[in-house]
């Protein structure tokens, strides 16, 4: 904070040329956004004039489009924002120029987070550290990826399933199974293969088989759609059982997903009780209504109908649950609301929050807690 | 002390064969891989690496069979193990606060001399809790005197005799890693330790959990488990063939070696035993009463009471 105000004072006291030089020198010597304690100062500067600049972020509770302040008459803009320590914020700038507006990443910040829509700039607050287990660890024995296709009677088309097998996989043995929704995204944006290999090597997670599935018309399929639940329980599961050494115990069978993927995971366990005994639900879009209508658009109609039904009979879900959500998400309210309901119904639910948003890095960062809770290894006892 | 070959973890690159050659191992090897549990029989890579004839003692499989052959004995054994597990759960209720008291004192910014004296007392308290665990473990085992020599049961005797026969003609006993609790249990259930006592000259090579089993006190450790921090804890007595050493395989991965406070506490907690970290490639030998690593450099190190990590070379 001090640094930006000091720069503002200097700019104000200088002529245009010195002010430009001061800004250029300043941006060359700092890490952006400027962060001190709970204060982050977002600075936009790309060496060109702009009419206005806005901070676009996804922090629930803050206005989603915050105007930056021009630094004197220079081409630099800034905005101080208070954010929680340990937090992590993804953002872009909306730059207004010559009557148009463009969304850009922060040209002063090389840190990026990727998702299916591209990438965002990242502002990690003090206390946030990238987990050590998301990068390949030396000496880790890699698993293998294989794939097969299903001619789905439920969907009337052909669907691919990618399957990750642990390094120690042997066909004659029986392993726990985890079926992942948005599987390709978990692999690409949440480093899930690396995470699995690291955590299994460390014996934090028991060796298991992981099936990665992906939707074709994803949102419609994952919005508490009975066809998707039947596809997973009646087509994907038997196909996996016929191809791989899998445990017959439902307690060793799990579903996971994020956002709508969390919804379809929970919905599948609801529609087919006793089939999947472990659920890893990340930022589930568990929107419900007490009275009246929701304001999330028609895509949420089946979800709201499902969650309302679930709230009336939560005990129908027969599974252990790991549930997580980011405190920067509007969904935090729904996730927090669901928790006591599930627990009061006697379900074993472990719940975690992080000061992060609705994004793949946030979901990656909770994988260790979720996987070790649902599929714990013998880390304390095994020394191999 | 019996002749020992003490090694770091054997994955991904085993280094067992060279030390066996150097030790003059000229007879067949006897393999114990019970720590691998369900994978016990999958020893082809190990056999191939050592390049010698080898006989496996399938202790894990034998124990499974004992549940059928002598179900009452196996059930009693399991009940005793459950009591020992309960002891550890309860014991942790005293151990954790004792260690946290020490940890709080380290951070205290009061009069240094006063804090230092309290730190000494806190350390003594931790050591006492450790000692208590070993004593209580022995007490529970004494309460189950009928299980002191389970292999003497007529239905299990043939297994013990097979162990004796294998060791009798062996050039070396190789004990692999894996689940240290399972390994120790199976070794004791079939009296491998007793059979080996009849061969004090028998070379024993061990690594990972196998090496931990040779010591007189097995210490479990993993500083950064998924749910918060954890403190090393005594599991129980080992075979005692390698007294005075606390074996810490994969210490770099499992311990916060960059935190001198934790390193120093671990070293002082088990003093006069020496805490030694071993990585893949290590080969420890005792020279002039000092542990020396004659394997790959920087793969073995000693934890110092000062908090330093000192390479063994």
């Amino acid at each position: 904070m001090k640094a930006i105000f000091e720069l503002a004072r200097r700019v104000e006291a200088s002529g245009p040329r010195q002010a430009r030089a001061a800004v250029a020198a300043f941006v060359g010597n700092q890490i952006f956004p400027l962060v001190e304690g709970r204060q982050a100062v977002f600075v936009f500067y790309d060496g060109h004039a702009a009419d206005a600049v806005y901070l676009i972020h996804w922090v629930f509770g803050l206005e989603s489009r915050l105007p930056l302040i021009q630094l004197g008459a220079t081409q630099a803009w800034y905005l101080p924002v208070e954010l929680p320590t340990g937090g992590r914020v993804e953002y872009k700038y909306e730059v207004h120029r010559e009557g148009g507006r463009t969304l850009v990443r922060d040209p002063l910040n090389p840190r990026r987070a990727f998702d299916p829509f591209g990438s965002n700039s990242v502002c990690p607050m003090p206390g946030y550290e990238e987990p050590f287990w998301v990068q390949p660890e030396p000496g880790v024995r890699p698993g293998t990826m294989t794939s097969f296709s299903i001619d789905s009677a439920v969907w009337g088309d052909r669907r691919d399933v990618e399957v990750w097998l642990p390094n120690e996989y042997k066909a004659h043995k029986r392993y726990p199974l985890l079926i992942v929704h948005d599987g390709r995204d978990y692999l690409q944006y949440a480093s899930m293969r690396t995470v699995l290999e690291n955590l299994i090597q460390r014996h934090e997670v028991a060796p298991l088989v992981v099936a990665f599935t992906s939707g074709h018309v994803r949102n419609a399929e994952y919005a508490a759609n009975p066809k998707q639940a039947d596809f997973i329980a009646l087509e994907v599961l038997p196909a996996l059982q016929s191809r791989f050494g899998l445990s017959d115990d439902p307690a060793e069978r799990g579903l996971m997903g994020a956002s709508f993927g969390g919804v379809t995971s929970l919905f599948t366990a609801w529609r087919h009780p006793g089939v999947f005994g472990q659920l890893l639900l990340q930022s589930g879009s568990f929107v419900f209504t007490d009275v009246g209508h929701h304001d999330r658009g028609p895509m949420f109609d089946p979800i709201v109908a499902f969650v309302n039904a679930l709230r009336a009979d939560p005990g129908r879900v027969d599974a252990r649950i790991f549930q997580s959500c980011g405190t920067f998400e509007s969904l935090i309210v729904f996730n927090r609301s669901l928790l006591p309901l599930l627990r009061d119904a006697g379900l074993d639910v472990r719940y975690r929050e992080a000061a992060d948003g609705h994004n793949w890095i946030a979901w990656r960062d909770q994988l260790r807690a979720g996987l070790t809770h649902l599929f714990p290894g013998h880390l304390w006892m095994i020394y191999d | 002390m019996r002749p020992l070959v003490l090694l770091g973890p054997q994955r991904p690159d085993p280094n067992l064969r060279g030390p066996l050659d150097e030790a003059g191992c000229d007879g067949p090897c006897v393999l114990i891989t019970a720590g691998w549990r369900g994978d016990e029989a999958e020893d082809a890579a190990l056999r191939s690496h050592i390049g010698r004839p080898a006989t496996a003692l399938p202790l894990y499989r034998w124990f499974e069979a004992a549940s059928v052959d002598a179900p009452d004995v196996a059930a009693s054994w399991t009940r005793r193990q459950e009591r020992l597990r309960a002891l550890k759960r309860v014991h942790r209720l005293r151990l954790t606060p004792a260690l946290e008291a020490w940890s709080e004192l380290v951070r205290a910014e009061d009069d240094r001399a006063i804090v230092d004296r309290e730190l000494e007392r806190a350390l003594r308290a931790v050591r006492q809790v450790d000692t208590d665990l070993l004593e209580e473990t022995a007490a529970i085992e004494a309460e189950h005197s009928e299980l002191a020599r389970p292999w003497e049961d007529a239905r299990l005797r043939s297994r013990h005799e097979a162990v004796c026969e294998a060791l009798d003609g062996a050039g070396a006993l190789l004990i692999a890693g894996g689940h240290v609790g399972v390994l120790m249990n199976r070794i004791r259930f079939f009296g491998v330790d007793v059979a080996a006592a009849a061969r004090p000259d028998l070379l024993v090579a061990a690594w990972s959990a196998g090496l931990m089993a040779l010591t007189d006190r097995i210490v479990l450790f993993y500083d950064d488990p998924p749910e918060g921090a954890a403190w090393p804890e005594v599991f129980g007595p080992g075979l005692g063939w390698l007294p005075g050493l606390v074996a810490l395989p994969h210490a770099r991965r499992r311990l916060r070696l960059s935190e001198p406070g934790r390193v120093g506490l671990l070293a002082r907690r088990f003093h006069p035993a020496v805490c030694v970290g071993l990585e893949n490639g290590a080969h420890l030998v005792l020279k002039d009463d000092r542990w020396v690593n004659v394997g790959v450099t920087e793969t073995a190190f000693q934890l110092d009471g000062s908090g330093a990590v000192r390479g063994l070379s």
Side-chain angles (χ1 to χ4, degrees), chain B residues 246-308:
Chain B
V246 174
L248 306 168
H250 284 308
R252 287 203 179 108
R253 184 187 294 165
R254 301 178 70 108
L255 290 175
R256 293 187 202 166
L257 295 176
S258 60
E259 291 187 21
R262 290 181 76 100
V263 169
L265 173 62
L266 190 52
R268 296 177 67 203
R269 180 175 163 189
F270 297 114
H271 180 80
V274 179
C275 292
V276 174
L278 300 106
E279 306 296 330
N280 180 218
H283 175 196
L284 280 187
V285 296
L286 198 57
K287 277 188 185 165
D288 303 327
D289 289 333
R290 276 190 64 241
W291 289 107
V292 175
N293 178 23
V294 295
V296 178
T297 55
E298 297 183 6
T299 54
F301 42 87
Q302 183 175 329
L303 310 194
D304 197 88
S306 69

Side-chain angles (χ1 to χ4, degrees), chain B residues 192-268:
Chain B
V192 177
D193 47 343
V194 173
R199 284 283 318 271
D201 60 319
L202 177 65
L203 177 71
V204 175
W207 59 94
S208 299
L211 176 50
M212 295 165 79
L214 300 190
T215 63
D216 49 0
R217 183 168 38 184
I218 295 171
V219 175
L220 308 178
F221 58 102
Y222 198 101
D223 280 357
D224 288 298
E227 294 295 325
W231 298 97
E233 64 181 46
V234 174
F235 172 69
L239 297 170
W241 298 349
L242 175 60
L245 186 137
V246 174
L248 306 168
H250 284 308
R252 287 203 179 108
R253 184 187 294 165
R254 301 178 70 108
L255 290 175
R256 293 187 202 166
L257 295 176
S258 60
E259 291 187 21
R262 290 181 76 100
V263 169
L265 173 62
L266 190 52
R268 296 177 67 203

